[in-house]
Short mmCIF file of all heavy atoms in Angstrom, two decimals:
data_model
loop_
_atom_site.label_atom_id
_atom_site.label_comp_id
_atom_site.label_asym_id
_atom_site.label_seq_id
_atom_site.Cartn_x
_atom_site.Cartn_y
_atom_site.Cartn_z
N SER A 1 113.74 92.58 161.37
CA SER A 1 114.33 93.48 162.35
C SER A 1 114.36 92.80 163.72
O SER A 1 113.46 92.05 164.08
CB SER A 1 113.50 94.75 162.44
OG SER A 1 113.86 95.52 163.57
N GLN A 2 115.39 93.09 164.48
CA GLN A 2 115.48 92.55 165.84
C GLN A 2 114.66 93.39 166.81
O GLN A 2 114.42 92.98 167.92
CB GLN A 2 116.95 92.53 166.29
CG GLN A 2 117.80 91.57 165.50
CD GLN A 2 117.34 90.14 165.64
OE1 GLN A 2 117.08 89.65 166.73
NE2 GLN A 2 117.20 89.46 164.52
N ASN A 3 114.22 94.57 166.37
CA ASN A 3 113.48 95.48 167.24
C ASN A 3 112.01 95.46 166.87
O ASN A 3 111.58 96.11 165.93
CB ASN A 3 114.04 96.90 167.12
CG ASN A 3 115.49 96.95 167.56
OD1 ASN A 3 115.82 96.48 168.63
ND2 ASN A 3 116.34 97.52 166.73
N LYS A 4 111.24 94.71 167.65
CA LYS A 4 109.81 94.56 167.38
C LYS A 4 109.01 95.44 168.34
O LYS A 4 109.26 95.43 169.55
CB LYS A 4 109.39 93.10 167.55
CG LYS A 4 110.12 92.15 166.62
CD LYS A 4 109.59 90.74 166.72
CE LYS A 4 109.92 90.11 168.06
NZ LYS A 4 109.52 88.69 168.12
N ILE A 5 108.05 96.17 167.77
CA ILE A 5 107.21 97.04 168.59
C ILE A 5 105.74 96.71 168.31
O ILE A 5 105.34 96.55 167.16
CB ILE A 5 107.48 98.52 168.29
CG1 ILE A 5 108.93 98.86 168.65
CG2 ILE A 5 106.51 99.42 169.06
CD1 ILE A 5 109.32 100.28 168.42
N LEU A 6 104.98 96.64 169.37
CA LEU A 6 103.54 96.40 169.27
C LEU A 6 102.82 97.70 169.55
O LEU A 6 103.05 98.35 170.58
CB LEU A 6 103.12 95.33 170.29
CG LEU A 6 101.63 95.08 170.46
CD1 LEU A 6 100.97 94.67 169.15
CD2 LEU A 6 101.41 94.03 171.54
N VAL A 7 101.95 98.11 168.61
CA VAL A 7 101.16 99.32 168.76
C VAL A 7 99.70 98.90 168.94
O VAL A 7 99.12 98.25 168.07
CB VAL A 7 101.29 100.24 167.53
CG1 VAL A 7 100.40 101.47 167.68
CG2 VAL A 7 102.74 100.65 167.31
N ILE A 8 99.12 99.27 170.10
CA ILE A 8 97.74 98.90 170.41
C ILE A 8 96.93 100.19 170.55
O ILE A 8 97.16 100.98 171.46
CB ILE A 8 97.65 98.10 171.72
CG1 ILE A 8 98.63 96.93 171.72
CG2 ILE A 8 96.22 97.63 171.96
CD1 ILE A 8 98.76 96.24 173.08
N ASP A 9 96.01 100.39 169.61
CA ASP A 9 95.17 101.59 169.63
C ASP A 9 93.91 101.31 168.83
O ASP A 9 93.99 100.72 167.75
CB ASP A 9 95.92 102.78 169.03
CG ASP A 9 95.30 104.11 169.41
OD1 ASP A 9 94.08 104.28 169.17
OD2 ASP A 9 96.01 104.98 169.94
N ASP A 10 92.76 101.71 169.34
CA ASP A 10 91.51 101.47 168.64
C ASP A 10 91.25 102.47 167.51
O ASP A 10 90.36 102.28 166.71
CB ASP A 10 90.32 101.42 169.61
CG ASP A 10 90.13 102.70 170.38
OD1 ASP A 10 91.13 103.39 170.67
OD2 ASP A 10 88.98 103.02 170.71
N GLU A 11 92.06 103.52 167.42
CA GLU A 11 91.94 104.50 166.34
C GLU A 11 92.85 104.08 165.19
O GLU A 11 94.08 104.12 165.31
CB GLU A 11 92.33 105.90 166.82
CG GLU A 11 91.38 106.48 167.85
CD GLU A 11 90.04 106.86 167.26
OE1 GLU A 11 89.98 107.19 166.05
OE2 GLU A 11 89.04 106.81 168.00
N LEU A 12 92.25 103.67 164.08
CA LEU A 12 93.00 103.16 162.94
C LEU A 12 94.04 104.16 162.44
O LEU A 12 95.19 103.79 162.19
CB LEU A 12 92.04 102.79 161.80
CG LEU A 12 92.69 102.29 160.51
CD1 LEU A 12 93.49 101.02 160.75
CD2 LEU A 12 91.63 102.08 159.45
N THR A 13 93.68 105.41 162.30
CA THR A 13 94.60 106.42 161.77
C THR A 13 95.81 106.59 162.67
O THR A 13 96.94 106.66 162.20
CB THR A 13 93.88 107.77 161.58
OG1 THR A 13 92.74 107.57 160.74
CG2 THR A 13 94.79 108.79 160.95
N VAL A 14 95.58 106.66 163.96
CA VAL A 14 96.69 106.79 164.92
C VAL A 14 97.61 105.59 164.80
O VAL A 14 98.83 105.72 164.71
CB VAL A 14 96.16 106.93 166.37
CG1 VAL A 14 97.30 106.84 167.38
CG2 VAL A 14 95.38 108.23 166.53
N ARG A 15 97.02 104.40 164.82
CA ARG A 15 97.80 103.16 164.74
C ARG A 15 98.64 103.13 163.46
O ARG A 15 99.82 102.82 163.49
CB ARG A 15 96.82 101.99 164.79
CG ARG A 15 97.40 100.73 165.31
CD ARG A 15 96.34 99.66 165.57
NE ARG A 15 95.55 99.31 164.40
CZ ARG A 15 94.24 99.49 164.30
NH1 ARG A 15 93.56 100.03 165.30
NH2 ARG A 15 93.59 99.13 163.22
N GLN A 16 98.03 103.45 162.33
CA GLN A 16 98.74 103.40 161.06
C GLN A 16 99.85 104.44 160.99
O GLN A 16 100.93 104.14 160.48
CB GLN A 16 97.76 103.60 159.90
CG GLN A 16 96.86 102.42 159.68
CD GLN A 16 95.84 102.67 158.58
OE1 GLN A 16 95.43 103.80 158.32
NE2 GLN A 16 95.41 101.59 157.93
N ASN A 17 99.61 105.65 161.48
CA ASN A 17 100.63 106.69 161.45
C ASN A 17 101.83 106.35 162.33
O ASN A 17 102.98 106.53 161.93
CB ASN A 17 100.05 108.04 161.84
CG ASN A 17 99.16 108.62 160.77
OD1 ASN A 17 99.30 108.32 159.59
ND2 ASN A 17 98.22 109.46 161.18
N VAL A 18 101.56 105.87 163.52
CA VAL A 18 102.65 105.47 164.42
C VAL A 18 103.43 104.31 163.82
O VAL A 18 104.66 104.31 163.80
CB VAL A 18 102.11 105.11 165.83
CG1 VAL A 18 103.19 104.48 166.69
CG2 VAL A 18 101.54 106.35 166.50
N ALA A 19 102.72 103.33 163.29
CA ALA A 19 103.37 102.16 162.68
C ALA A 19 104.23 102.58 161.48
O ALA A 19 105.36 102.10 161.33
CB ALA A 19 102.33 101.13 162.26
N ALA A 20 103.71 103.47 160.64
CA ALA A 20 104.47 103.91 159.47
C ALA A 20 105.76 104.60 159.88
O ALA A 20 106.84 104.34 159.31
CB ALA A 20 103.62 104.84 158.61
N TYR A 21 105.69 105.45 160.89
CA TYR A 21 106.89 106.14 161.37
C TYR A 21 107.91 105.14 161.91
O TYR A 21 109.10 105.21 161.59
CB TYR A 21 106.52 107.16 162.46
CG TYR A 21 107.72 107.82 163.05
CD1 TYR A 21 108.34 108.88 162.40
CD2 TYR A 21 108.27 107.37 164.24
CE1 TYR A 21 109.47 109.48 162.93
CE2 TYR A 21 109.40 107.96 164.78
CZ TYR A 21 110.00 109.01 164.12
OH TYR A 21 111.13 109.59 164.65
N LEU A 22 107.45 104.21 162.72
CA LEU A 22 108.37 103.23 163.32
C LEU A 22 108.96 102.31 162.26
O LEU A 22 110.15 101.97 162.31
CB LEU A 22 107.65 102.42 164.39
CG LEU A 22 107.25 103.21 165.64
CD1 LEU A 22 106.32 102.39 166.52
CD2 LEU A 22 108.48 103.68 166.40
N GLU A 23 108.15 101.90 161.28
CA GLU A 23 108.67 101.05 160.20
C GLU A 23 109.71 101.79 159.38
O GLU A 23 110.74 101.22 159.01
CB GLU A 23 107.51 100.56 159.32
CG GLU A 23 106.67 99.50 160.01
CD GLU A 23 105.36 99.21 159.31
OE1 GLU A 23 104.95 99.99 158.41
OE2 GLU A 23 104.73 98.20 159.68
N ASP A 24 109.47 103.08 159.11
CA ASP A 24 110.46 103.90 158.40
C ASP A 24 111.75 104.02 159.19
O ASP A 24 112.82 104.25 158.62
CB ASP A 24 109.90 105.30 158.12
CG ASP A 24 108.85 105.31 157.01
OD1 ASP A 24 108.72 104.29 156.30
OD2 ASP A 24 108.17 106.35 156.87
N SER A 25 111.67 103.86 160.50
CA SER A 25 112.84 103.94 161.37
C SER A 25 113.51 102.58 161.56
O SER A 25 114.44 102.45 162.35
CB SER A 25 112.44 104.52 162.74
OG SER A 25 111.93 105.83 162.58
N GLY A 26 113.01 101.55 160.86
CA GLY A 26 113.66 100.25 160.88
C GLY A 26 113.09 99.22 161.83
O GLY A 26 113.66 98.14 161.99
N PHE A 27 111.96 99.52 162.47
CA PHE A 27 111.36 98.58 163.41
C PHE A 27 110.37 97.66 162.70
O PHE A 27 109.75 98.05 161.72
CB PHE A 27 110.61 99.33 164.52
CG PHE A 27 111.50 100.15 165.40
CD1 PHE A 27 111.67 101.50 165.17
CD2 PHE A 27 112.16 99.57 166.46
CE1 PHE A 27 112.49 102.27 165.97
CE2 PHE A 27 113.00 100.32 167.28
CZ PHE A 27 113.16 101.67 167.03
N THR A 28 110.22 96.47 163.22
CA THR A 28 109.12 95.60 162.82
C THR A 28 107.96 95.95 163.73
O THR A 28 108.11 95.97 164.96
CB THR A 28 109.50 94.12 163.00
OG1 THR A 28 110.60 93.82 162.15
CG2 THR A 28 108.33 93.21 162.68
N VAL A 29 106.81 96.26 163.14
CA VAL A 29 105.67 96.75 163.92
C VAL A 29 104.49 95.81 163.78
O VAL A 29 104.12 95.42 162.67
CB VAL A 29 105.27 98.17 163.48
CG1 VAL A 29 104.09 98.67 164.29
CG2 VAL A 29 106.45 99.13 163.61
N TYR A 30 103.89 95.47 164.91
CA TYR A 30 102.66 94.71 164.95
C TYR A 30 101.58 95.66 165.42
O TYR A 30 101.82 96.49 166.29
CB TYR A 30 102.78 93.53 165.91
CG TYR A 30 103.90 92.59 165.52
CD1 TYR A 30 105.15 92.70 166.11
CD2 TYR A 30 103.70 91.63 164.54
CE1 TYR A 30 106.19 91.86 165.73
CE2 TYR A 30 104.73 90.78 164.16
CZ TYR A 30 105.97 90.90 164.76
OH TYR A 30 106.99 90.08 164.38
N GLN A 31 100.38 95.54 164.85
CA GLN A 31 99.29 96.44 165.19
C GLN A 31 98.09 95.66 165.74
O GLN A 31 97.77 94.59 165.23
CB GLN A 31 98.83 97.21 163.95
CG GLN A 31 99.88 98.11 163.35
CD GLN A 31 99.33 98.87 162.17
OE1 GLN A 31 98.25 99.46 162.26
NE2 GLN A 31 100.06 98.87 161.07
N ALA A 32 97.45 96.25 166.75
CA ALA A 32 96.25 95.64 167.32
C ALA A 32 95.21 96.72 167.53
O ALA A 32 95.53 97.82 167.99
CB ALA A 32 96.57 94.95 168.63
N GLU A 33 93.95 96.38 167.23
CA GLU A 33 92.87 97.36 167.32
C GLU A 33 92.22 97.45 168.70
O GLU A 33 91.37 98.29 168.93
CB GLU A 33 91.79 97.07 166.26
CG GLU A 33 91.06 95.76 166.47
CD GLU A 33 91.72 94.57 165.80
OE1 GLU A 33 92.90 94.65 165.39
OE2 GLU A 33 91.05 93.53 165.69
N ASN A 34 92.61 96.59 169.61
CA ASN A 34 92.11 96.68 170.98
C ASN A 34 93.03 95.88 171.90
O ASN A 34 93.94 95.19 171.44
CB ASN A 34 90.65 96.21 171.09
CG ASN A 34 90.46 94.77 170.68
OD1 ASN A 34 91.17 93.87 171.13
ND2 ASN A 34 89.49 94.51 169.81
N GLY A 35 92.79 95.99 173.20
CA GLY A 35 93.66 95.34 174.17
C GLY A 35 93.64 93.83 174.11
O GLY A 35 94.66 93.18 174.32
N ARG A 36 92.49 93.24 173.79
CA ARG A 36 92.41 91.78 173.71
C ARG A 36 93.31 91.26 172.59
O ARG A 36 94.13 90.37 172.81
CB ARG A 36 90.96 91.33 173.48
CG ARG A 36 90.80 89.80 173.39
CD ARG A 36 89.40 89.40 172.97
NE ARG A 36 88.94 90.04 171.75
CZ ARG A 36 89.32 89.67 170.52
NH1 ARG A 36 90.17 88.70 170.34
NH2 ARG A 36 88.84 90.30 169.46
N VAL A 37 93.18 91.85 171.41
CA VAL A 37 94.02 91.45 170.27
C VAL A 37 95.48 91.79 170.57
O VAL A 37 96.39 91.03 170.24
CB VAL A 37 93.54 92.13 168.97
CG1 VAL A 37 94.49 91.85 167.82
CG2 VAL A 37 92.12 91.68 168.62
N GLY A 38 95.70 92.92 171.21
CA GLY A 38 97.05 93.32 171.56
C GLY A 38 97.75 92.32 172.47
O GLY A 38 98.92 91.99 172.26
N LEU A 39 97.04 91.83 173.47
CA LEU A 39 97.65 90.84 174.37
C LEU A 39 97.92 89.52 173.65
O LEU A 39 98.94 88.88 173.89
CB LEU A 39 96.77 90.62 175.60
CG LEU A 39 96.82 91.76 176.61
CD1 LEU A 39 95.79 91.54 177.72
CD2 LEU A 39 98.22 91.91 177.19
N GLU A 40 97.02 89.14 172.75
CA GLU A 40 97.27 87.93 171.95
C GLU A 40 98.56 88.08 171.16
O GLU A 40 99.40 87.18 171.13
CB GLU A 40 96.09 87.66 171.01
CG GLU A 40 94.84 87.19 171.71
CD GLU A 40 93.62 87.11 170.78
OE1 GLU A 40 93.78 87.29 169.55
OE2 GLU A 40 92.52 86.86 171.28
N LEU A 41 98.72 89.24 170.50
CA LEU A 41 99.94 89.49 169.73
C LEU A 41 101.17 89.58 170.63
O LEU A 41 102.25 89.11 170.27
CB LEU A 41 99.81 90.78 168.92
CG LEU A 41 99.12 90.67 167.58
CD1 LEU A 41 98.85 92.04 166.98
CD2 LEU A 41 99.95 89.83 166.62
N TYR A 42 101.01 90.20 171.80
CA TYR A 42 102.13 90.31 172.73
C TYR A 42 102.67 88.92 173.10
O TYR A 42 103.87 88.67 173.02
CB TYR A 42 101.72 91.06 174.01
CG TYR A 42 102.77 90.94 175.08
CD1 TYR A 42 103.90 91.73 175.04
CD2 TYR A 42 102.66 89.99 176.09
CE1 TYR A 42 104.91 91.59 175.99
CE2 TYR A 42 103.64 89.84 177.04
CZ TYR A 42 104.77 90.64 176.99
OH TYR A 42 105.76 90.48 177.92
N PHE A 43 101.79 88.03 173.49
CA PHE A 43 102.23 86.70 173.91
C PHE A 43 102.73 85.86 172.74
O PHE A 43 103.59 85.00 172.92
CB PHE A 43 101.13 85.98 174.68
CG PHE A 43 100.92 86.55 176.06
CD1 PHE A 43 99.78 87.28 176.37
CD2 PHE A 43 101.89 86.39 177.05
CE1 PHE A 43 99.60 87.82 177.63
CE2 PHE A 43 101.72 86.92 178.31
CZ PHE A 43 100.57 87.65 178.61
N GLN A 44 102.25 86.13 171.55
CA GLN A 44 102.70 85.41 170.36
C GLN A 44 104.05 85.91 169.86
O GLN A 44 104.94 85.12 169.54
CB GLN A 44 101.66 85.56 169.24
CG GLN A 44 102.04 84.90 167.94
CD GLN A 44 100.99 85.15 166.86
OE1 GLN A 44 99.85 85.50 167.14
NE2 GLN A 44 101.39 84.97 165.63
#
């Protein structure tokens, strides 16, 4: 997908639910469990 979204949340259930919805809508979703990992994924 050309539309990539990064979801950063320390609550696993929230992260997974948001990611599942976005993936069902055609987005490529990256998930991070905290801000440090999230920023690493953002820059990558």
Side-chain angles (χ1 to χ4, degrees):
S1 167
Q2 294 298 312
N3 298 309
K4 300 185 291 185
I5 298 181
L6 172 58
V7 177
I8 309 170
D9 198 306
D10 60 328
E11 293 289 332
L12 177 61
T13 304
V14 171
R15 206 170 58 243
Q16 289 176 332
N17 288 335
V18 170
Y21 176 81
L22 292 169
E23 287 167 347
D24 286 348
S25 298
F27 295 96
T28 297
V29 180
Y30 301 96
Q31 298 182 48
E33 65 271 15
N34 61 50
R36 181 188 53 77
V37 174
L39 285 173
E40 289 172 6
L41 276 171
Y42 169 79
F43 288 109
Q44 178 182 341

